[in-house]
């Protein structure tokens, strides 16, 4: 079994990333897994500061030039072994080149490019990212971007790595050996007073899991809040009555396991 670690996790706040224009949770990565990417040609990789600058420039390009809601990738990994927060778990990617690819696969990108070779530190961090996304509900597939769309991405070294990790178990290094990893961030939360389709989907999952008996009205009122509190207590999550990204991912995974995923 492969054992994976990283040099550090860089949150969106630490990196100075912009908030997304919008988010979509239309993803079912439990039926797929993770797709590996590289960043293109001539990506600066000499210094860690260049890696951060490149990550921020990609977000500006995707949001301002492409018109996308956010940086396209779920997570990034740099040559120095750091994991970079992107869209995060539970949110649809825009990087895989097809609707089906973006529905079933998260996108992990190496901040490097063609005619460059990822270091052992980078490959270990990619393994950690795969294991973390699996822990949060992704399937065990690891594919190349080229398997989902007509492209040369991610090149030969990462292509070989994808084949080695596809359907294979990966263990994250124990917390005795490395500091506990910072969870993948997203600016996302539902709370009492919110309304809409996302609240209704959450209510559907809570009904299937036996915690909500009210109306499917998309209204995060006191009865919905009480159901969320009960669910968080049962699952030993942070008991807030608010639905953070992590509560939402856990709800989706539990509902999917019971055959109620939509």
């Amino acid at each position: 079994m492969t054992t994976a670690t990283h040099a550090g996790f860089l949150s969106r706040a630490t990196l100075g990333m912009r908030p997304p224009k919008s988010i979509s949770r239309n993803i079912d990565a439990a039926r797929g897994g993770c797709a590996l990417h590289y960043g293109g040609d001539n990506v600066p990789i000499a210094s860690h500061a260049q890696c951060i600058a490149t990550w921020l420039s990609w977000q500006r390009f995707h949001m301002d030039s492409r018109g996308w809601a956010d940086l396209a990738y779920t997570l990034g990994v740099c040559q120095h072994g750091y994991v970079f927060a992107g869209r995060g778990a539970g949110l649809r990617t825009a990087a895989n080149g097809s609707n089906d690819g973006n529905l079933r696969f998260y996108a992990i990108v190496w901040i490097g490019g063609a005619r460059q070779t990822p270091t052992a530190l980078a490959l270990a961090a990619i393994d950690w990212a795969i294991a973390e996304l699996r822990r949060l509900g992704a399937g065990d597939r690891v594919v190349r971007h080229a398997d989902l769309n007509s492209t040369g991405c991610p090149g030969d070294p990462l292509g070989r790595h994808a084949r080695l990790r596809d359907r294979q178990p990966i263990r994250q290094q124990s917390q005795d050996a490395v500091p506990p990893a910072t969870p993948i961030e997203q600016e996302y939360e539902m709370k009492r007073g919110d309304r809409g389709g996302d609240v209704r989907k959450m209510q559907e999952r809570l009904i299937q899991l036996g915690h909500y008996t009210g109306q499917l009205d998309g209204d995060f009122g006191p009865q919905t809040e009480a159901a969320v509190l009960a669910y968080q207590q049962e699952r030993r999550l942070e008991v807030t009555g608010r639905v953070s990204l992590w509560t939402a991912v856990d709800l989706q995974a539990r509902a999917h396991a019971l055959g109620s995923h939509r």
Side-chain angles (χ1 to χ4, degrees):
M1 178 185 291
T2 300
T3 301
T5 187
H6 61 69
F9 184 92
L10 302 180
S11 69
R12 291 177 68 101
T14 298
L15 290 163
M17 294 177 67
R18 292 158 55 179
K21 298 175 186 177
S22 63
I23 59 174
S24 170
R25 285 173 293 283
N26 182 25
I27 186 167
D28 189 6
R31 293 197 296 116
C34 300
L36 301 189
H37 298 246
Y38 64 26
D41 294 329
N42 303 317
V43 177
I45 58 175
S47 72
H48 188 50
Q50 286 177 319
C51 295
I52 294 173
T54 297
W55 193 245
L56 296 176
S57 73
W58 287 353
Q59 187 190 35
R60 288 194 299 272
F61 176 70
H62 289 174
M63 295 180 74
D64 298 339
S65 297
R66 295 290 192 188
W68 296 341
D70 196 2
L71 178 75
Y73 304 109
T74 308
L75 292 174
V77 167
C78 81
Q79 195 75 325
H80 309 91
Y82 287 83
V83 179
F84 287 48
R87 293 197 176 198
L91 301 185
R92 186 182 178 95
T93 178
N96 291 327
S98 68
N99 286 330
D100 183 67
N102 289 331
L103 175 67
R104 295 190 298 115
F105 289 90
Y106 289 122
I108 301 171
V109 61
W110 170 54
I111 307 174
R115 297 179 295 279
Q116 296 169 324
T117 303
T119 61
L121 287 173
L123 294 176
I126 287 170
D127 288 343
W128 183 91
I130 294 168
E132 179 71 356
L133 291 170
R134 286 176 175 175
R135 185 181 70 82
L136 295 169
D140 64 358
R141 296 301 314 278
V142 180
V143 302
R144 307 170 303 155
H145 183 197
D147 294 321
L148 305 176
N149 192 29
S150 179
T151 175
C153 177
D156 291 337
L158 283 185
R160 289 192 296 271
H161 196 74
R163 292 187 178 94
L164 288 171
R165 298 297 181 256
D166 188 29
R167 304 184 191 275
Q168 298 303 308
I170 301 174
R171 181 180 63 192
Q172 291 172 312
Q173 197 171 50
S174 72
Q175 292 186 356
D176 293 331
V178 296
T182 303
I184 301 167
E185 285 190 345
Q186 276 292 346
E187 296 84 354
Y188 166 67
E189 187 177 67
M190 285 188 290
K191 60 188 182 300
R192 186 167 173 173
D194 289 345
R195 297 183 60 88
D198 290 335
V199 176
R200 181 185 172 89
K201 289 178 183 177
M202 177 187 67
Q203 290 172 330
E204 290 177 343
R205 290 170 182 154
L206 288 167
I207 287 172
Q208 295 293 336
L209 297 172
H211 288 284
Y212 181 66
T213 58
Q215 297 294 316
L216 285 174
D217 54 9
D219 181 6
F220 201 132
Q223 191 172 2
T224 301
E225 183 182 49
V228 170
L229 285 167
Y231 182 80
Q232 290 172 333
Q233 288 171 343
E234 178 196 82
R235 296 288 292 166
R236 297 184 180 179
L237 301 169
E238 185 179 4
V239 181
T240 63
R242 295 170 175 243
V243 181
S244 68
L245 174 65
W246 309 116
T247 303
V249 169
D250 191 69
L251 273 167
Q252 181 171 329
R254 289 287 306 285
H256 181 82
L258 292 178
S260 61
H261 180 75
R262 288 173 168 78

